[in-house]
Amino acid sequence: MERDMARDRYPRHHARARKVLPCALLLVCLALFLTVVPVGLIGAPLGRGQPDPAIAEIIGEINESELWNTTYDLQAIPTREFGSEGNREAGEYLYARLADIPGLEVEKQGGELNNVIATLPGSGNTSGEVVIVGAHYDSTSSDPARAPGATDNACGVAIVLELARVMSGHSFDRTVQFALWNAEEDGSYGSADYAARAADTGVPVVLYLNYDSACYDPENRSVLDIMSDERSAGIAALMADHNTLYATNFTLTRNNHTCASDYIPFRARGFPAVMTHSEDHGPAHTPDDTINRVSFDYAKRNARLGLSVLAKVAGLRDDGKGAAIPKAPSAV
């Protein structure tokens, strides 16, 4: 009954997506009237001042029903445990979804790790630099056969897919990659493989943004944790600024969580990496982590906040003057 009602709320869009069966210091609470970066953040307040109309427009393209549909499809697979048939099925589903988006170059990476990576080539003189947004698609549970993983992390994957859909319709100075990692629950092996290769080959990753356990807000408290370090402090400041400028209206905390997720391999290799995380883990790693536990308005605003930062760092070109910031933000 509840699932049927939810289906009525969000009509399906299976023309392109088939039905599958089967984590220290507070930033401060930001008052709505403030447009300054909170005290205590290291780094220059990038983007401070007035909202960019082009960024305001692009974040308005985030569609909540798209987030619901992708989350539903993934959590309907009984388990996405790494190495399972459901995990392989999820990888194929995600490859097909990304391949169906015009303008993206899609590949599988990492051999048996089966990461799915889509690339949106940059259009400016900084196109050799890469901005990455990612989420893991594997799941785990106290009962491995029943691991729907809706909040952890089907909804995070849904955000990345929706960012890919929206950003593919625009051009950016820098190259943008949309990464769906595997084997995070086993030790972040998928993202670790990519980060090691990127470091070894000198790929200039100027930002990695991670979504993991980023869609759970059962009491509508709108608390969002930003996990960063000195290398990514400027990005954390930018996110705090954009939270007010673009009215995503979260109460932001900093590094309340210390979860070992897919941002860690990037940080370990010296790349600027940031992750957003819900206030609590809720039903994660249990058979009860189903779609009815996901907070989709929270997820939509989290996607919009991330997109505003990605658009700024990647250099949204649609207004004819939106050049990328000169280099990756760093601590001063």
Side-chain angles (χ1 to χ4, degrees):
M1 173 72 72
E2 187 172 30
R3 179 175 294 173
D4 290 339
M5 292 174 64
R7 279 182 172 275
D8 291 339
R9 181 182 177 193
Y10 297 124
R12 306 294 291 149
H13 61 93
H14 285 279
R16 66 175 180 136
R18 61 180 177 84
K19 180 179 179 182
V20 293
L21 299 174
C23 201
L25 174 70
L26 288 176
L27 274 176
V28 302
C29 296
L30 296 177
L32 295 178
F33 59 87
L34 291 178
T35 58
V36 296
V37 174
V39 175
L41 282 178
I42 303 171
L46 306 169
R48 179 177 176 178
Q50 297 299 313
D52 183 332
I55 293 180
E57 182 176 352
I58 191 174
I59 68 173
E61 297 178 29
I62 296 293
N63 188 320
E64 188 175 329
S65 67
E66 294 278 345
L67 300 177
W68 192 96
N69 289 333
T70 301
T71 303
Y72 177 84
D73 284 350
L74 288 172
Q75 64 94 53
I77 300 173
T79 182
R80 303 190 307 280
E81 284 265 0
F82 178 62
S84 69
E85 183 58 36
N87 182 269
R88 288 185 286 272
E89 182 180 355
E92 292 302 315
Y93 164 79
L94 294 170
Y95 183 94
R97 285 288 305 276
L98 286 168
D100 201 38
I101 300 176
L104 298 183
E105 302 167 358
V106 188
E107 62 180 319
K108 295 178 181 179
Q109 182 270 334
E112 293 183 356
L113 291 170
N114 202 31
N115 296 323
V116 183
I117 313 289
T119 300
L120 179 64
S123 302
N125 57 12
T126 54
S127 62
E129 298 174 347
V130 183
V131 175
I132 307 173
V133 56
H136 75 88
Y137 69 86
D138 60 310
S139 65
T140 193
S141 171
S142 54
D143 179 356
R146 296 187 299 143
T151 68
D152 183 17
N153 189 39
C155 185
V157 171
I159 289 176
V160 174
L161 276 172
E162 180 63 353
L163 294 176
R165 184 189 70 83
V166 172
M167 294 182 77
S168 66
H170 301 265
S171 60
F172 300 86
D173 289 341
R174 289 183 167 121
T175 291
V176 183
Q177 287 192 328
F178 308 93
L180 302 175
W181 312 116
N182 206 357
E184 186 274 344
E185 300 291 4
D186 283 15
S188 297
Y189 292 128
S191 56
D193 182 83
Y194 178 99
R197 293 170 185 261
D200 291 345
T201 59
V203 175
V205 178
V206 300
L207 169 63
Y208 175 64
L209 173 60
N210 193 57
Y211 282 101
D212 192 356
S213 294
C215 304
Y216 181 70
D217 186 30
E219 298 180 0
N220 298 316
R221 286 169 48 82
S222 292
V223 175
L224 182 69
D225 194 36
I226 298 178
M227 300 158 60
S228 64
D229 64 359
E230 288 189 353
R231 287 191 187 90
S232 55
I235 293 295
L238 181 60
M239 295 188 80
D241 195 25
H242 280 201
N243 183 52
T244 297
L245 287 179
Y246 301 105
T248 48
N249 298 335
F250 288 106
T251 296
L252 299 178
T253 58
R254 177 176 175 183
N255 289 339
N256 275 6
H257 289 91
T258 56
C259 303
S261 185
D262 291 307
Y263 71 104
I264 294 294
F266 287 89
R267 178 185 290 183
R269 296 288 178 169
F271 299 123
V274 174
M275 172 168 153
T276 70
H277 196 290
S278 303
E279 188 178 19
D280 192 5
H281 286 95
H285 298 182
T286 75
D288 296 326
D289 191 6
T290 51
I291 195 165
N292 59 304
R293 309 299 294 274
V294 177
S295 309
F296 282 102
D297 177 72
Y298 181 99
K300 176 181 68 178
R301 290 184 288 127
N302 200 354
R304 287 179 171 176
L305 179 59
L307 177 53
S308 74
V309 171
L310 292 168
K312 179 68 176 180
V313 177
L316 177 61
R317 295 173 60 87
D318 295 319
D319 62 358
K321 60 181 180 181
I325 55 179
K327 59 183 179 180
S330 59
V332 294

